[in-house]
Amino acid sequence: MNYIPLTEKENKEMLKSIGIKDASELFSVIPSSSRIPALKLPKGMSEQRLVSTLEAMAKKNASLKDYACFRGAGIYDHFIPALVEEIVNRSEFSTAYTPYQPEASQGTLQAIFEYQSLICELTGMDVSNASLYDGSSAMAEAALLAVRATSRKKILVSSASHPEYRQVLRTYLQGTDIEVVEISSKNGFTSLDDARHKLGNDTAAVILQSPNFFGTIEELSSFRALSREYGALLALSVNPISLGALKSPGEIGADIAFGEGQPLGNHTGAGGVTFGFLSVKKELSWKIPGRIVGQTVDSNGRRGFVLTLQSREQHIRRERATSNICTNAALNALAGCVYLAGWGKNGIKNLALANFAKSRYAYERIIRIPGFSPAFEGQQFFNEFAVKTTKDISHLNKKLFAEKIIGPLALSGFYPEMADCALFCVTENRTKSEIDKMAEILERA
Amino acid sequence: MEKLLNEISHEGLSGYSVPEIDVPHENIEKYIHKEALRSSEPELPQVSEPELRRHFTRLSHRNYSLTTHFYPLGSCTMKYNPPVNDKLSQLPGFADLHPYQDEESLQGLLELLYGLERSLCEITGMDAFTLQPAAGAHGEFTGLLIIHAYFKAKGEARTKIIVPDSAHGTNPASAALAGFEIIPVKSKADGCLDLELIEKTLNKDIAAIMLTVPNTLGVFEKEILKISEIAHKNGSLLYYDGANLNAILGNARPGDFGFDIMHVNPHKTFSTPHGGGGPGSGPVGVKKHLEEFLPVPKIEKKEFGYKLHYNIPKSIGRVRSFFGNVPVLIKAYAYILALGAEGLRNVSEQAVLNANYLLSILKKELPAPAGDRCMHEFVLSAKPCAEKGVRALDIAKRLLDYGYYAPTIYFPLIVEEAMMVEPTETESKDELDKFASVFAKILKEAADNPATVKNTPTTTPVSRLNEVEAARKPILKWADAPK
């Protein structure tokens, strides 16, 4: 297969128009010493064989369609309403490019404008960009934004925030003179004392996640007060669905809100493609990275939408741009838009409460099993919680897997000192019978 | 005008049904401090599912896309996106995996990703690839961090990157983000490098030269082997921006030209849909001497299957969470498998033939500053029209009226009133002929009656939009709009 809609006859006509005999003449500018006769790759496939080949690979993976998933840690198994998929699969959206010609791209542009509006409502912030790659790059971009805004060079980040996000943050900053300092955590919370100890007038931002990697809802107002004292920005990583019930970053007084958009209508997809969201207070709007859509009028006074504040961007400012972002994750943000729009004001709250109720039930069920206990005293959580156990976690997970369950994440991988702790996630997608079945297996194991 | 979601909202409606709560109802306030709870619901619109479906479907009709329009957007390689690839990426065995599942339960995915890495090595002449970067610019940034790490490990303090003035804006922006200073160099009228100037600019501070080959004027860099030689003699590395890989696919390989490191854009070269601004992907390939700096984890093939390898001491670390943009990678691999060695080679041959054919007609209408021949794309200058008051922007808008997306305009920056046209290999001769005749017609309109071209577009959902006003008084969400 090659998807080329031209015949040999037409190619000959084209060669004639160009004034050459053979298409190979067009490649004569390439040094002959570096031309290759053929790629050492297999022959092409028919569509039929392609489908069977990839289906065979897909079958070697354990799909969450066949396994009940109690694992979260940044990627969450939520139900995706059919409408979300229907819309993002419309080729008018999926096969368009970045909307450089706004008059021919009003569909994409209005949808992004609506996305920005929804993210601002949900996070309680003033300005949202059009999306970033994922939650981890959103953390790095939040840090860079804070450095630009404050002209300070130190970032404080909670050790209870997603470990992979912190890895990405460090990777992003390794060529710069920006210093990253981690705030320790205790009993599942970020340590306020340690933050106080490490904060200074050189700190650009304090970055926290809530609910944090252990599922704990942080006590954010004290961090807000503390960072203000030193003139540092507060950047919060949040689970967007939790904001149906939990206080928004805007209400808390954060300067930057960001996070992983996957829970909003995107497949778990082995962790990607997802999207990152980032919203800020008005004062920071010209410092924000990535695309932004704005409302304007056309020459007849009708409402329309365009990419705006473009003088921040790489195609105008080159090395002085606020970021290097060009292609981001528009289609995934569209999924987020259709998802949030469909839940609406009451729906998102009820969805959040369903997550809370189911995880609470699972928590109560699990900590009553002999050999299991809460990992932290008085942990307040949304849909994820850590549990301590005397049993071998990898053994437990093997047992669960055999019964078509993806069990909790062993925290030892990221936190060696928590070798006896496991992180459970329970979304609205889990049923009581699945939770009971899981608990029974834990009891027996 | 399509109303905004908040304008079709009605108190009490919702689009989706809340799942049954089959566990005891719990009062959240009993378990979570009141201080941590929202005092009121977020003001999300309240719209029924039928209304929502109509709203978003209507919005989709307000887009030009590849499946509805010819999209000759230069530098973006808007080629046909086979639907089978979308379908395959959405198989439950790919789309519904958790990234922290055990490796044993992800063997099919790892097999696919490993296969893609190996194929990309063969296609580009590189020795190893990472699939983690999430977009082209993200790949550039990853590549530059690798360059940074390489010199750090060698104990050399090289702080500067040479970027030609014909390069994409992402090149200098990515280099700056990685902590480098940018040394812009003037290119010649055809976008090619001035060898003497490069020789003069090279010194022990230069870490790398970033090149797009063919360049953004669609011209192959004739001195590439010489440039490679002098760069390497100076101890510098050579970076290949894969934006224009479609021009040489299967015919020549960046690795054979002497490039040390590069990224590819699957959403260009390997036909994955662009999504109206992503998702893309930006796999980075390197030669042997840079392999130890690639991001973690690395996929390894063992006797018993595929493993993720994390312990690579000199690695730059992670550039994205989890594996990268997996569905995009699946689609790219499906495309490579479908085309095979010969099909991939046909791609560049046909893309270059199509571009040259279109150039052979359009050069009669407007000057082509880079000459009579091109690779996969070419740049015209609308300067003669602009002198009479019709700018490249106006021609672009008029094209929309005739049912074409516009070429890339005002880029590359080194051509006045630039119009960059890339037809790709998946357009028919009929389509190219129609486009050429419409283009000629517009230029005639511009000469006869400039107003018909300037007051455009007229057939799109909105007429020309006021971008200046949008930036001067930003309305960035519906709550900002004046009541």
Side-chain angles (χ1 to χ4, degrees):
Chain A
M1 267 191 317
N2 63 11
Y3 311 109
I4 290 175
L6 289 116
T7 64
E8 213 156 296
K9 182 169 161 277
E10 288 169 320
N11 277 347
K12 283 208 176 107
E13 287 165 23
M14 298 207 297
L15 287 170
K16 204 172 154 201
S17 169
I18 300 166
I20 55 172
K21 286 217 166 59
D22 194 286
S24 65
E25 290 176 47
L26 298 169
F27 287 83
S28 60
V29 284
I30 303 177
S32 54
S33 61
S34 30
R35 297 278 302 276
I36 52 164
L39 288 170
K40 293 188 193 81
L41 288 177
K43 267 194 176 149
M45 288 180 185
S46 67
E47 180 169 332
Q48 192 179 351
R49 210 176 113 217
L50 175 68
V51 169
S52 60
T53 304
L54 262 70
E55 276 177 350
M57 289 185 193
K59 280 196 191 110
K60 292 182 196 167
N61 303 319
S63 166
L64 303 190
K65 287 272 178 275
D66 303 318
Y67 286 74
C69 182
F70 288 92
R71 209 165 284 188
I75 292 293
Y76 301 96
D77 178 32
H78 292 287
F79 181 76
I80 301 175
L83 182 65
V84 176
E85 306 238 89
E86 209 245 352
I87 298 301
V88 295
N89 277 314
R90 287 193 72 87
S91 66
E92 297 93 329
F93 282 127
S94 68
T95 73
Y97 205 78
T98 302
Y100 292 135
Q101 293 293 336
E103 296 85 359
S105 314
Q106 284 299 296
T108 293
L109 286 162
Q110 182 169 335
I112 296 175
F113 182 81
E114 293 179 333
Y115 161 83
Q116 291 173 183
S117 303
L118 292 165
I119 291 293
C120 286
E121 291 290 352
L122 193 65
T123 59
M125 305 300 276
D126 299 320
V127 180
S128 160
N129 75 1
S131 74
L132 295 167
Y133 308 135
D134 72 335
S136 72
S137 63
M139 180 186 275
E141 293 289 357
L144 287 163
L145 195 167
V147 168
R148 277 195 299 279
T150 59
S151 305
R152 297 175 177 189
K153 299 271 172 127
K154 191 163 118 183
I155 297 290
L156 252 56
V157 61
S158 165
S159 61
S161 62
H162 200 295
E164 290 201 16
Y165 292 18
R166 282 177 283 132
Q167 289 170 9
V168 170
L169 174 68
R170 287 185 185 279
T171 304
Y172 261 65
L173 299 180
Q174 64 191 251
T176 70
D177 54 356
I178 302 166
E179 188 192 359
V180 178
V181 178
E182 295 207 355
I183 312 168
S184 64
S185 53
K186 214 176 134 185
N187 193 28
F189 285 97
T190 305
S191 162
L192 187 65
D193 285 342
D194 196 46
R196 186 175 290 121
H197 183 65
K198 286 168 177 163
L199 248 172
N201 293 326
D202 56 348
T203 307
V206 177
I207 304 179
L208 295 179
Q209 177 183 329
S210 184
N212 66 24
F213 191 71
F214 309 121
T216 308
I217 298 166
E218 297 272 9
E219 285 169 17
L220 294 165
S221 55
S222 5
F223 284 96
R224 167 66 290 188
L226 185 64
S227 54
R228 274 222 179 111
E229 212 178 291
Y230 288 92
L233 302 183
L234 179 65
L236 285 185
S237 170
V238 287
N239 175 336
I241 291 182
S242 76
L243 297 182
L246 300 184
K247 201 172 250 184
S248 72
E251 286 178 287
I252 287 154
D255 303 284
I256 304 169
F258 69 93
E260 172 58 63
Q262 179 272 327
L264 304 177
N266 284 268
H267 283 265
T268 52
V273 177
T274 62
F275 71 92
F277 59 90
L278 182 102
S279 56
V280 297
K281 290 280 182 209
K282 202 176 170 118
E283 305 79 73
L284 298 173
S285 57
W286 281 92
K287 307 279 183 196
I288 204 168
R291 312 278 186 193
I292 298 181
V293 171
Q295 180 182 317
T296 186
V297 289
D298 73 359
S299 56
N300 296 311
R302 287 175 299 192
R303 180 169 70 193
F305 303 90
V306 295
L307 292 174
T308 194
L309 310 191
Q310 291 195 75
S311 57
R312 302 164 297 115
E313 292 189 64
Q314 46 79 23
H315 61 285
I316 313 264
R317 290 197 67 186
R318 297 176 82 84
E319 63 267 28
R320 288 181 303 282
T322 57
S323 89
N324 68 334
I325 291 170
C326 184
T327 291
N328 43 71
L331 199 66
N332 304 91
L334 173 65
C337 178
V338 182
Y339 187 82
L340 283 174
W343 282 116
K345 177 179 172 175
N346 299 313
I348 193 77
K349 181 182 177 180
N350 291 331
L351 177 65
L353 292 178
N355 274 261
F356 172 75
K358 293 196 180 195
S359 60
R360 190 77 222 175
Y361 173 75
Y363 175 81
E364 300 290 351
R365 187 84 173 72
I366 295 165
I367 58 166
R368 278 172 178 71
I369 301 170
F372 289 82
S373 59
F376 314 114
E377 286 308 309
Q379 188 189 20
Q380 305 199 351
F381 59 85
F382 169 61
N383 67 0
E384 222 172 354
F385 53 86
V387 165
K388 203 180 271 189
T389 174
T390 53
K391 300 189 184 185
D392 178 67
I393 296 169
S394 106
H395 170 75
L396 291 178
N397 272 327
K398 279 201 183 84
K399 289 275 177 206
L400 290 167
F401 191 77
E403 303 277 343
K404 298 259 172 192
I405 290 172
I406 307 278
L409 182 79
L411 280 170
S412 58
F414 291 120
Y415 298 90
E417 71 279 13
M418 298 175 83
D420 54 354
C421 290
L423 186 66
F424 288 82
C425 172
V426 187
T427 68
E428 82 287 353
N429 240 0
R430 297 287 66 80
T431 60
K432 179 172 177 295
S433 67
E434 285 170 343
I435 298 168
D436 290 341
K437 181 179 159 190
M438 188 227 358
E440 282 156 23
I441 298 167
L442 294 182
E443 268 160 2
R444 285 200 310 267
Chain B
M1 190 180 82
E2 178 65 24
K3 285 185 173 177
L4 286 162
L5 286 167
N6 64 322
E7 295 164 341
I8 56 173
S9 171
H10 292 278
E11 185 65 37
L13 289 179
S14 182
Y16 310 138
S17 50
V18 181
E20 290 76 13
I21 299 187
D22 51 3
V23 297
H25 281 260
E26 291 283 9
N27 186 358
I28 193 166
E29 290 181 20
K30 198 173 133 197
Y31 296 99
I32 297 178
H33 280 308
K34 208 163 174 244
E35 204 205 327
L37 295 173
R38 272 193 108 102
S39 46
S40 61
E41 290 85 24
E43 281 303 322
L44 300 184
Q46 304 177 67
V47 189
S48 67
E49 183 169 308
E51 286 292 310
L52 268 185
R53 188 176 190 188
R54 200 170 274 161
H55 171 75
F56 284 109
T57 304
R58 280 199 196 121
L59 281 186
S60 78
H61 293 162
R62 292 162 77 84
N63 258 10
Y64 284 27
S65 69
L66 252 181
T67 50
T68 52
H69 296 80
F70 176 33
Y71 227 96
L73 194 63
S75 215
C76 300
T77 315
M78 291 295 276
K79 62 168 74 177
Y80 180 65
N81 304 150
V84 63
N85 299 348
D86 293 317
K87 211 176 144 191
L88 291 169
S89 74
Q90 292 171 12
L91 289 170
F94 292 131
D96 299 301
L97 303 174
H98 194 282
Y100 291 148
Q101 277 176 230
D102 297 345
E103 282 159 16
E104 297 81 58
S105 71
L106 293 174
Q107 285 297 304
L109 176 69
L110 297 179
E111 177 187 350
L112 185 151
L113 297 177
Y114 185 83
L116 176 59
E117 282 183 12
R118 295 323 305 164
S119 304
L120 290 176
C121 285
E122 171 59 21
I123 290 167
T124 60
M126 293 288 157
D127 295 318
F129 258 88
T130 174
L131 304 175
Q132 211 175 74
H138 203 216
E140 290 173 19
F141 176 51
T142 305
L144 286 149
L145 289 176
I146 290 170
I147 293 169
H148 179 264
Y150 169 76
F151 286 111
K152 200 172 159 192
K154 280 184 81 171
E156 289 184 45
R158 294 189 183 236
T159 55
K160 294 172 184 171
I161 302 280
I162 293 180
V163 182
D165 58 1
S166 56
H168 294 108
T170 50
N171 287 188
S174 301
L177 185 61
F180 287 106
E181 187 186 327
I182 288 68
I183 307 295
V185 294
K186 218 173 136 46
S187 39
K188 295 188 284 188
D190 62 358
C192 287
L193 291 187
D194 179 338
L195 203 59
E196 270 178 45
L197 183 61
I198 293 290
E199 236 166 344
K200 253 194 286 179
T201 313
L202 276 170
N203 58 43
K204 291 294 170 199
D205 290 342
I206 304 294
I209 307 178
M210 287 184 93
L211 286 180
T212 307
V213 183
N215 63 33
T216 57
L217 275 90
V219 178
F220 188 84
E221 183 61 67
K222 289 172 280 289
E223 304 282 7
I224 186 61
L225 299 179
K226 191 83 192 134
I227 292 167
S228 166
E229 192 190 317
I230 59 172
H232 289 129
K233 221 167 102 189
N234 185 56
S236 310
L237 298 173
L238 212 53
Y239 185 97
Y240 181 89
D241 178 331
N244 292 346
L245 183 63
N246 211 47
I248 58 169
L249 199 61
N251 269 288
R253 313 187 303 172
D256 298 338
F257 300 144
F259 284 94
D260 303 281
I261 180 163
M262 67 176 292
H263 77 269
V264 300
N265 297 75
H267 48 290
K268 297 180 181 181
T269 318
F270 300 111
S271 87
T272 74
H274 194 271
S281 173
V284 169
V286 295
K287 291 273 180 66
K288 205 88 203 148
H289 52 284
L290 297 175
E291 191 175 350
E292 58 186 340
F293 304 103
L294 285 174
V296 280
K298 209 170 156 337
I299 303 166
E300 288 181 347
K301 191 179 177 180
K302 302 274 188 198
E303 246 171 83
F304 49 86
Y306 297 87
K307 284 289 291 174
L308 290 170
H309 187 48
Y310 287 89
N311 187 14
I312 303 170
K314 287 189 184 165
S315 162
I316 59 163
R318 267 191 179 281
V319 293
R320 190 206 187 280
S321 55
F322 317 115
F323 296 100
N325 282 353
V326 172
V328 178
L329 300 168
I330 295 170
K331 290 175 214 181
Y333 194 49
Y335 178 78
I336 291 169
L337 289 179
L339 268 69
E342 208 186 318
L344 291 170
R345 190 181 169 92
N346 289 343
V347 162
S348 61
E349 281 165 2
Q350 192 69 52
V352 171
L353 181 56
N354 279 6
N356 275 280
Y357 174 63
L358 200 51
L359 173 62
S360 74
I361 309 173
L362 293 184
K363 72 181 182 196
K364 295 171 194 148
E365 306 293 335
L366 284 177
D372 283 358
R373 293 275 189 277
C374 65
M375 293 301 285
H376 69 305
E377 67 186 359
F378 58 88
V379 176
L380 301 172
S381 168
K383 202 177 157 202
C385 297
E387 281 162 359
K388 293 181 192 135
V390 176
R391 302 193 58 203
L393 178 73
D394 302 314
I395 299 169
K397 300 298 185 197
R398 187 59 169 156
L399 277 167
L400 304 180
D401 272 344
Y402 285 104
Y404 292 97
Y405 202 81
T408 299
I409 50 173
Y410 301 107
F411 185 83
L413 308 174
I414 60 171
V415 174
E416 276 182 77
E417 297 292 327
M419 302 193 80
M420 187 194 220
V421 183
E422 181 179 11
T424 82
E425 73 281 7
T426 60
E427 294 301 329
S428 68
K429 180 171 177 294
D430 290 348
E431 192 65 76
L432 300 179
D433 286 338
K434 264 196 302 184
F435 177 76
S437 70
V438 163
F439 202 94
K441 192 173 166 190
I442 292 172
L443 293 182
K444 191 163 184 315
E445 286 176 349
D448 296 347
N449 184 4
T452 50
V453 181
K454 288 192 73 65
N455 299 328
T456 56
T458 57
T459 61
T460 43
V462 287
S463 59
R464 195 147 337 168
L465 289 160
N466 192 335
E467 301 195 30
V468 175
E469 192 65 13
R472 200 161 51 201
K473 288 187 197 151
I475 300 173
L476 308 176
K477 60 180 188 298
W478 55 54
D480 295 345
K483 294 286 174 300

